[in-house]
PDB file of all heavy atoms in Angstrom:
ATOM      1  N   THR A   1     107.500 109.300 101.272  1.00 96.00           N
ATOM      2  CA  THR A   1     108.895 109.218 101.679  1.00 96.00           C
ATOM      3  C   THR A   1     109.775 110.004 100.727  1.00 96.00           C
ATOM      4  O   THR A   1     109.358 110.364  99.619  1.00 96.00           O
ATOM      5  CB  THR A   1     109.369 107.747 101.748  1.00 96.00           C
ATOM      6  OG1 THR A   1     110.616 107.677 102.446  1.00 96.00           O
ATOM      7  CG2 THR A   1     109.516 107.136 100.363  1.00 96.00           C
ATOM      8  N   HIS A   2     110.993 110.256 101.171  1.00 94.00           N
ATOM      9  CA  HIS A   2     112.034 110.852 100.334  1.00 94.00           C
ATOM     10  C   HIS A   2     113.361 110.232 100.726  1.00 94.00           C
ATOM     11  O   HIS A   2     113.625 109.986 101.907  1.00 94.00           O
ATOM     12  CB  HIS A   2     112.119 112.369 100.520  1.00 94.00           C
ATOM     13  CG  HIS A   2     113.358 112.947  99.889  1.00 94.00           C
ATOM     14  ND1 HIS A   2     113.427 113.223  98.549  1.00 94.00           N
ATOM     15  CD2 HIS A   2     114.580 113.248 100.405  1.00 94.00           C
ATOM     16  CE1 HIS A   2     114.635 113.685  98.265  1.00 94.00           C
ATOM     17  NE2 HIS A   2     115.353 113.713  99.375  1.00 94.00           N
ATOM     18  N   ALA A   3     114.208 109.982  99.713  1.00 92.00           N
ATOM     19  CA  ALA A   3     115.536 109.429  99.949  1.00 92.00           C
ATOM     20  C   ALA A   3     116.585 110.534  99.909  1.00 92.00           C
ATOM     21  O   ALA A   3     116.579 111.376  99.005  1.00 92.00           O
ATOM     22  CB  ALA A   3     115.863 108.368  98.915  1.00 92.00           C
ATOM     23  N   GLU A   4     117.494 110.512 100.870  1.00 90.00           N
ATOM     24  CA  GLU A   4     118.499 111.564 100.997  1.00 90.00           C
ATOM     25  C   GLU A   4     119.342 111.719  99.731  1.00 90.00           C
ATOM     26  O   GLU A   4     119.655 112.833  99.305  1.00 90.00           O
ATOM     27  CB  GLU A   4     119.408 111.268 102.197  1.00 90.00           C
ATOM     28  CG  GLU A   4     120.447 112.332 102.450  1.00 90.00           C
ATOM     29  CD  GLU A   4     121.246 112.061 103.714  1.00 90.00           C
ATOM     30  OE1 GLU A   4     121.081 110.983 104.318  1.00 90.00           O
ATOM     31  OE2 GLU A   4     122.045 112.940 104.098  1.00 90.00           O
ATOM     32  N   PHE A   5     119.692 110.600  99.097  1.00 88.00           N
ATOM     33  CA  PHE A   5     120.536 110.664  97.908  1.00 88.00           C
ATOM     34  C   PHE A   5     119.787 110.264  96.641  1.00 88.00           C
ATOM     35  O   PHE A   5     120.393 109.851  95.648  1.00 88.00           O
ATOM     36  CB  PHE A   5     121.790 109.805  98.104  1.00 88.00           C
ATOM     37  CG  PHE A   5     122.760 110.431  99.068  1.00 88.00           C
ATOM     38  CD1 PHE A   5     122.731 110.095 100.419  1.00 88.00           C
ATOM     39  CD2 PHE A   5     123.661 111.389  98.644  1.00 88.00           C
ATOM     40  CE1 PHE A   5     123.614 110.682 101.312  1.00 88.00           C
ATOM     41  CE2 PHE A   5     124.542 111.984  99.530  1.00 88.00           C
ATOM     42  CZ  PHE A   5     124.523 111.640 100.866  1.00 88.00           C
ATOM     43  N   GLY A   6     118.471 110.408  96.671  1.00 86.00           N
ATOM     44  CA  GLY A   6     117.697 110.294  95.450  1.00 86.00           C
ATOM     45  C   GLY A   6     117.315 108.901  95.009  1.00 86.00           C
ATOM     46  O   GLY A   6     116.900 108.707  93.856  1.00 86.00           O
ATOM     47  N   SER A   7     117.429 107.910  95.880  1.00 90.00           N
ATOM     48  CA  SER A   7     116.994 106.562  95.508  1.00 90.00           C
ATOM     49  C   SER A   7     115.499 106.543  95.212  1.00 90.00           C
ATOM     50  O   SER A   7     114.735 107.316  95.774  1.00 90.00           O
ATOM     51  CB  SER A   7     117.312 105.574  96.635  1.00 90.00           C
ATOM     52  OG  SER A   7     118.697 105.526  96.886  1.00 90.00           O
ATOM     53  N   ALA A   8     115.095 105.635  94.334  1.00 91.00           N
ATOM     54  CA  ALA A   8     113.695 105.553  93.911  1.00 91.00           C
ATOM     55  C   ALA A   8     113.060 104.275  94.450  1.00 91.00           C
ATOM     56  O   ALA A   8     113.293 103.189  93.917  1.00 91.00           O
ATOM     57  CB  ALA A   8     113.605 105.594  92.393  1.00 91.00           C
ATOM     58  N   PRO A   9     112.243 104.370  95.502  1.00 93.00           N
ATOM     59  CA  PRO A   9     111.602 103.167  96.040  1.00 93.00           C
ATOM     60  C   PRO A   9     110.387 102.770  95.212  1.00 93.00           C
ATOM     61  O   PRO A   9     109.874 103.559  94.408  1.00 93.00           O
ATOM     62  CB  PRO A   9     111.164 103.610  97.434  1.00 93.00           C
ATOM     63  CG  PRO A   9     110.833 105.063  97.235  1.00 93.00           C
ATOM     64  CD  PRO A   9     111.858 105.575  96.251  1.00 93.00           C
ATOM     65  N   THR A  10     109.929 101.557  95.418  1.00 94.00           N
ATOM     66  CA  THR A  10     108.649 101.111  94.879  1.00 94.00           C
ATOM     67  C   THR A  10     107.656 100.996  96.030  1.00 94.00           C
ATOM     68  O   THR A  10     108.029 101.083  97.199  1.00 94.00           O
ATOM     69  CB  THR A  10     108.774  99.766  94.153  1.00 94.00           C
ATOM     70  OG1 THR A  10     109.342  98.800  95.058  1.00 94.00           O
ATOM     71  CG2 THR A  10     109.691  99.895  92.941  1.00 94.00           C
ATOM     72  N   ALA A  11     106.382 100.832  95.679  1.00 96.00           N
ATOM     73  CA  ALA A  11     105.342 100.776  96.704  1.00 96.00           C
ATOM     74  C   ALA A  11     105.533  99.573  97.613  1.00 96.00           C
ATOM     75  O   ALA A  11     106.031  98.520  97.203  1.00 96.00           O
ATOM     76  CB  ALA A  11     103.968 100.722  96.051  1.00 96.00           C
ATOM     77  N   GLY A  12     105.105  99.747  98.860  1.00 96.00           N
ATOM     78  CA  GLY A  12     105.141  98.639  99.803  1.00 96.00           C
ATOM     79  C   GLY A  12     104.046  97.627  99.525  1.00 96.00           C
ATOM     80  O   GLY A  12     103.136  97.850  98.704  1.00 96.00           O
ATOM     81  N   THR A  13     104.105  96.500 100.211  1.00 97.00           N
ATOM     82  CA  THR A  13     103.108  95.443 100.070  1.00 97.00           C
ATOM     83  C   THR A  13     101.709  95.978 100.386  1.00 97.00           C
ATOM     84  O   THR A  13     101.511  96.651 101.399  1.00 97.00           O
ATOM     85  CB  THR A  13     103.441  94.277 101.007  1.00 97.00           C
ATOM     86  OG1 THR A  13     104.749  93.798 100.701  1.00 97.00           O
ATOM     87  CG2 THR A  13     102.435  93.144 100.852  1.00 97.00           C
ATOM     88  N   ASN A  14     100.769  95.717  99.496  1.00 97.00           N
ATOM     89  CA  ASN A  14      99.361  96.138  99.598  1.00 97.00           C
ATOM     90  C   ASN A  14      99.141  97.620  99.292  1.00 97.00           C
ATOM     91  O   ASN A  14      98.040  98.127  99.490  1.00 97.00           O
ATOM     92  CB  ASN A  14      98.766  95.811 100.972  1.00 97.00           C
ATOM     93  CG  ASN A  14      98.764  94.329 101.261  1.00 97.00           C
ATOM     94  OD1 ASN A  14      98.526  93.511 100.366  1.00 97.00           O
ATOM     95  ND2 ASN A  14      99.030  93.956 102.500  1.00 97.00           N
ATOM     96  N   TYR A  15     100.180  98.304  98.805  1.00 97.00           N
ATOM     97  CA  TYR A  15     100.071  99.718  98.459  1.00 97.00           C
ATOM     98  C   TYR A  15     100.280  99.932  96.965  1.00 97.00           C
ATOM     99  O   TYR A  15     100.925  99.124  96.290  1.00 97.00           O
ATOM    100  CB  TYR A  15     101.101 100.549  99.224  1.00 97.00           C
ATOM    101  CG  TYR A  15     100.729 100.822 100.659  1.00 97.00           C
ATOM    102  CD1 TYR A  15     100.972  99.885 101.653  1.00 97.00           C
ATOM    103  CD2 TYR A  15     100.125 102.026 101.027  1.00 97.00           C
ATOM    104  CE1 TYR A  15     100.638 100.135 102.978  1.00 97.00           C
ATOM    105  CE2 TYR A  15      99.785 102.281 102.345  1.00 97.00           C
ATOM    106  CZ  TYR A  15     100.045 101.337 103.310  1.00 97.00           C
ATOM    107  OH  TYR A  15      99.704 101.578 104.622  1.00 97.00           O
ATOM    108  N   THR A  16      99.755 101.054  96.461  1.00 96.00           N
ATOM    109  CA  THR A  16      99.985 101.505  95.090  1.00 96.00           C
ATOM    110  C   THR A  16     100.711 102.840  95.129  1.00 96.00           C
ATOM    111  O   THR A  16     100.277 103.757  95.836  1.00 96.00           O
ATOM    112  CB  THR A  16      98.660 101.663  94.328  1.00 96.00           C
ATOM    113  OG1 THR A  16      98.038 100.382  94.193  1.00 96.00           O
ATOM    114  CG2 THR A  16      98.877 102.256  92.941  1.00 96.00           C
ATOM    115  N   LEU A  17     101.818 102.930  94.368  1.00 96.00           N
ATOM    116  CA  LEU A  17     102.549 104.186  94.291  1.00 96.00           C
ATOM    117  C   LEU A  17     101.733 105.183  93.468  1.00 96.00           C
ATOM    118  O   LEU A  17     101.331 104.899  92.341  1.00 96.00           O
ATOM    119  CB  LEU A  17     103.905 103.958  93.640  1.00 96.00           C
ATOM    120  CG  LEU A  17     104.965 105.042  93.832  1.00 96.00           C
ATOM    121  CD1 LEU A  17     105.400 105.106  95.294  1.00 96.00           C
ATOM    122  CD2 LEU A  17     106.167 104.772  92.932  1.00 96.00           C
ATOM    123  N   ARG A  18     101.454 106.341  94.044  1.00 96.00           N
ATOM    124  CA  ARG A  18     100.663 107.369  93.358  1.00 96.00           C
ATOM    125  C   ARG A  18     101.532 108.395  92.653  1.00 96.00           C
ATOM    126  O   ARG A  18     101.067 109.059  91.731  1.00 96.00           O
ATOM    127  CB  ARG A  18      99.740 108.078  94.357  1.00 96.00           C
ATOM    128  CG  ARG A  18      98.804 107.135  95.118  1.00 96.00           C
ATOM    129  CD  ARG A  18      97.906 106.344  94.208  1.00 96.00           C
ATOM    130  NE  ARG A  18      96.947 105.537  94.953  1.00 96.00           N
ATOM    131  CZ  ARG A  18      96.034 104.738  94.386  1.00 96.00           C
ATOM    132  NH1 ARG A  18      95.983 104.634  93.062  1.00 96.00           N
ATOM    133  NH2 ARG A  18      95.199 104.044  95.137  1.00 96.00           N
ATOM    134  N   SER A  19     102.778 108.553  93.083  1.00 91.00           N
ATOM    135  CA  SER A  19     103.691 109.507  92.465  1.00 91.00           C
ATOM    136  C   SER A  19     104.286 108.920  91.189  1.00 91.00           C
ATOM    137  O   SER A  19     104.381 107.698  91.021  1.00 91.00           O
ATOM    138  CB  SER A  19     104.811 109.870  93.436  1.00 91.00           C
ATOM    139  OG  SER A  19     104.300 110.467  94.601  1.00 91.00           O
ATOM    140  N   THR A  20     104.727 109.803  90.289  1.00 79.00           N
ATOM    141  CA  THR A  20     105.289 109.355  89.018  1.00 79.00           C
ATOM    142  C   THR A  20     106.689 108.796  89.167  1.00 79.00           C
ATOM    143  O   THR A  20     107.181 108.101  88.292  1.00 79.00           O
ATOM    144  CB  THR A  20     105.339 110.515  88.013  1.00 79.00           C
ATOM    145  OG1 THR A  20     106.216 111.528  88.518  1.00 79.00           O
ATOM    146  CG2 THR A  20     103.960 111.112  87.797  1.00 79.00           C
ATOM    147  N   GLY A  21     107.358 109.123  90.261  1.00 67.00           N
ATOM    148  CA  GLY A  21     108.702 108.625  90.474  1.00 67.00           C
ATOM    149  C   GLY A  21     109.788 109.554  89.982  1.00 67.00           C
ATOM    150  O   GLY A  21     110.962 109.207  90.025  1.00 67.00           O
ATOM    151  N   SER A  22     109.419 110.750  89.528  1.00 67.00           N
ATOM    152  CA  SER A  22     110.427 111.673  89.011  1.00 67.00           C
ATOM    153  C   SER A  22     110.454 113.000  89.771  1.00 67.00           C
ATOM    154  O   SER A  22     111.093 113.943  89.334  1.00 67.00           O
ATOM    155  CB  SER A  22     110.150 111.964  87.531  1.00 67.00           C
ATOM    156  OG  SER A  22     108.875 112.568  87.381  1.00 67.00           O
ATOM    157  N   GLN A  23     109.753 113.066  90.902  1.00 75.00           N
ATOM    158  CA  GLN A  23     109.558 114.350  91.573  1.00 75.00           C
ATOM    159  C   GLN A  23     110.181 114.422  92.964  1.00 75.00           C
ATOM    160  O   GLN A  23     109.830 115.284  93.751  1.00 75.00           O
ATOM    161  CB  GLN A  23     108.055 114.661  91.654  1.00 75.00           C
ATOM    162  CG  GLN A  23     107.323 114.586  90.329  1.00 75.00           C
ATOM    163  CD  GLN A  23     107.794 115.608  89.315  1.00 75.00           C
ATOM    164  OE1 GLN A  23     108.451 116.594  89.680  1.00 75.00           O
ATOM    165  NE2 GLN A  23     107.482 115.414  88.063  1.00 75.00           N
ATOM    166  N   HIS A  24     111.057 113.467  93.306  1.00 88.00           N
ATOM    167  CA  HIS A  24     111.786 113.465  94.578  1.00 88.00           C
ATOM    168  C   HIS A  24     110.939 113.002  95.767  1.00 88.00           C
ATOM    169  O   HIS A  24     111.487 112.514  96.745  1.00 88.00           O
ATOM    170  CB  HIS A  24     112.397 114.836  94.890  1.00 88.00           C
ATOM    171  CG  HIS A  24     113.589 115.143  94.045  1.00 88.00           C
ATOM    172  ND1 HIS A  24     114.872 115.048  94.514  1.00 88.00           N
ATOM    173  CD2 HIS A  24     113.699 115.551  92.762  1.00 88.00           C
ATOM    174  CE1 HIS A  24     115.719 115.381  93.561  1.00 88.00           C
ATOM    175  NE2 HIS A  24     115.033 115.686  92.482  1.00 88.00           N
ATOM    176  N   VAL A  25     109.630 113.194  95.728  1.00 94.00           N
ATOM    177  CA  VAL A  25     108.739 112.702  96.774  1.00 94.00           C
ATOM    178  C   VAL A  25     107.948 111.517  96.226  1.00 94.00           C
ATOM    179  O   VAL A  25     107.404 111.588  95.125  1.00 94.00           O
ATOM    180  CB  VAL A  25     107.778 113.804  97.257  1.00 94.00           C
ATOM    181  CG1 VAL A  25     106.675 113.219  98.128  1.00 94.00           C
ATOM    182  CG2 VAL A  25     108.533 114.879  98.026  1.00 94.00           C
ATOM    183  N   TYR A  26     107.886 110.441  97.013  1.00 96.00           N
ATOM    184  CA  TYR A  26     107.158 109.243  96.603  1.00 96.00           C
ATOM    185  C   TYR A  26     105.992 109.039  97.564  1.00 96.00           C
ATOM    186  O   TYR A  26     106.193 108.902  98.774  1.00 96.00           O
ATOM    187  CB  TYR A  26     108.090 108.029  96.619  1.00 96.00           C
ATOM    188  CG  TYR A  26     109.191 108.147  95.593  1.00 96.00           C
ATOM    189  CD1 TYR A  26     110.343 108.872  95.877  1.00 96.00           C
ATOM    190  CD2 TYR A  26     109.054 107.577  94.336  1.00 96.00           C
ATOM    191  CE1 TYR A  26     111.348 109.021  94.925  1.00 96.00           C
ATOM    192  CE2 TYR A  26     110.051 107.714  93.377  1.00 96.00           C
ATOM    193  CZ  TYR A  26     111.194 108.437  93.678  1.00 96.00           C
ATOM    194  OH  TYR A  26     112.176 108.588  92.731  1.00 96.00           O
ATOM    195  N   SER A  27     104.767 109.027  97.031  1.00 97.00           N
ATOM    196  CA  SER A  27     103.587 108.866  97.878  1.00 97.00           C
ATOM    197  C   SER A  27     102.796 107.654  97.432  1.00 97.00           C
ATOM    198  O   SER A  27     102.836 107.251  96.267  1.00 97.00           O
ATOM    199  CB  SER A  27     102.709 110.123  97.834  1.00 97.00           C
ATOM    200  OG  SER A  27     102.193 110.327  96.528  1.00 97.00           O
ATOM    201  N   GLU A  28     102.047 107.074  98.372  1.00 97.00           N
ATOM    202  CA  GLU A  28     101.283 105.868  98.090  1.00 97.00           C
ATOM    203  C   GLU A  28     100.015 105.848  98.926  1.00 97.00           C
ATOM    204  O   GLU A  28      99.857 106.602  99.893  1.00 97.00           O
ATOM    205  CB  GLU A  28     102.117 104.619  98.410  1.00 97.00           C
ATOM    206  CG  GLU A  28     102.466 104.465  99.895  1.00 97.00           C
ATOM    207  CD  GLU A  28     103.374 103.283 100.212  1.00 97.00           C
ATOM    208  OE1 GLU A  28     103.874 102.641  99.269  1.00 97.00           O
ATOM    209  OE2 GLU A  28     103.570 103.005 101.412  1.00 97.00           O
ATOM    210  N   SER A  29      99.085 104.989  98.527  1.00 97.00           N
ATOM    211  CA  SER A  29      97.907 104.681  99.335  1.00 97.00           C
ATOM    212  C   SER A  29      97.554 103.225  99.099  1.00 97.00           C
ATOM    213  O   SER A  29      98.076 102.585  98.170  1.00 97.00           O
ATOM    214  CB  SER A  29      96.728 105.609  99.002  1.00 97.00           C
ATOM    215  OG  SER A  29      96.321 105.448  97.657  1.00 97.00           O
ATOM    216  N   LEU A  30      96.678 102.693  99.913  1.00 96.00           N
ATOM    217  CA  LEU A  30      96.353 101.274  99.846  1.00 96.00           C
ATOM    218  C   LEU A  30      95.727 100.908  98.506  1.00 96.00           C
ATOM    219  O   LEU A  30      94.824 101.578  98.016  1.00 96.00           O
ATOM    220  CB  LEU A  30      95.411 100.894 100.977  1.00 96.00           C
ATOM    221  CG  LEU A  30      96.035 100.830 102.377  1.00 96.00           C
ATOM    222  CD1 LEU A  30      94.953 100.738 103.430  1.00 96.00           C
ATOM    223  CD2 LEU A  30      96.992  99.645 102.489  1.00 96.00           C
ATOM    224  N   THR A  31      96.194  99.802  97.914  1.00 94.00           N
ATOM    225  CA  THR A  31      95.662  99.328  96.644  1.00 94.00           C
ATOM    226  C   THR A  31      94.186  99.006  96.758  1.00 94.00           C
ATOM    227  O   THR A  31      93.394  99.267  95.831  1.00 94.00           O
ATOM    228  CB  THR A  31      96.435  98.082  96.180  1.00 94.00           C
ATOM    229  OG1 THR A  31      97.826  98.420  96.077  1.00 94.00           O
ATOM    230  CG2 THR A  31      95.927  97.576  94.843  1.00 94.00           C
ATOM    231  N   ALA A  32      93.769  98.468  97.893  1.00 88.00           N
ATOM    232  CA  ALA A  32      92.375  98.073  98.094  1.00 88.00           C
ATOM    233  C   ALA A  32      91.452  99.266  98.308  1.00 88.00           C
ATOM    234  O   ALA A  32      90.229  99.104  98.344  1.00 88.00           O
ATOM    235  CB  ALA A  32      92.265  97.128  99.287  1.00 88.00           C
ATOM    236  N   GLY A  33      92.022 100.445  98.468  1.00 89.00           N
ATOM    237  CA  GLY A  33      91.216 101.650  98.675  1.00 89.00           C
ATOM    238  C   GLY A  33      91.422 102.222 100.057  1.00 89.00           C
ATOM    239  O   GLY A  33      92.053 103.252 100.221  1.00 89.00           O
TER     240      GLY A  33
END
């Protein structure tokens, strides 16, 4: 995901955020694999 005005989301339920949080794009995948 990406936020129009730069908000920083956290991972959704059952997901792990893979992005560092400083690059404008936030990516995730399932924590369980």
Side-chain angles (χ1 to χ4, degrees):
T1 194
H2 168 82
E4 182 175 7
F5 287 94
S7 299
T10 56
T13 302
N14 298 322
Y15 282 83
T16 295
L17 197 67
R18 304 301 185 180
S19 299
T20 63
S22 61
Q23 307 296 343
H24 286 257
V25 168
Y26 295 83
S27 64
E28 65 184 8
S29 62
L30 287 168
T31 302

